[in-house]
Amino acid sequence: QVQLVESEGGLVQAGGSLRLSCAASGLTFSRYPMGWFRQAPGKEREFVEAIDRSGNTTYYGKSVKGRFTASRDNAKNTVYLQMNSLKPEDTGVYYCAADGTIATMVSLPQDIEYWGKGTLVTVSS
C-alpha cells in the first residue's frame, strides 16, 4: 500500500520560510518523479513543482519560480519543498504526489497515481 505523508504545515508570516517534507512508503521511491501541488480555498488545485527521479531536474509553477525549491533524498524516501519569501497568496493545502512519469506530473495531474492527504500552510500578511 502506497503512502505519502506530508509533514505538518503551519502559520508563517509573509516573507518567511517553511520547509515541507513528504515521506513515501510502499513504492520504489527512486523510480518515481515526485511533485507538489496546492489548493487555496475556493480555487482549483495548482501545480507547484515537480522533481525527476534523480533529483537533478525540477519544474516550477509560474507563481513560485525563484522562491520554492524541491529536492529529494532517495535514501530516505523523502521529498522536500523549501518555500522562501512566502506571500499570503501561497496559503493553501499542499499535497505531495507521485507518478511514474514526469510528463504526467507536470501536464496531466488528473492522472497522477498517488497523492498525500495534504497539509495546510497559512501565510499571514
Side-chain angles (χ1 to χ4, degrees), residues 10-85:
L11 175 64
V12 185
Q13 285 191 333
S17 297
L18 187 67
R19 188 176 83 155
L20 301 179
S21 63
C22 171
S25 61
L27 77 170
T28 305
F29 182 73
S30 61
R31 294 182 180 178
Y32 281 81
M34 300 294 294
W36 290 94
F37 293 78
R38 68 186 182 190
Q39 188 165 20
K43 295 189 177 181
E44 294 186 352
R45 182 179 55 199
E46 177 188 10
F47 170 72
V48 175
E49 191 162 348
I51 186 167
D52 71 353
R53 297 176 181 87
S54 66
N56 291 332
T57 303
T58 55
Y59 302 82
Y60 297 88
K62 291 180 180 179
S63 61
V64 304
K65 190 173 184 178
R67 300 189 297 122
F68 290 14
T69 303
S71 61
R72 65 190 294 162
D73 186 336
N74 286 345
K76 295 183 178 179
N77 289 359
T78 301
V79 62
Y80 304 94
L81 183 67
Q82 178 66 45
M83 303 184 291
N84 299 327
S85 302

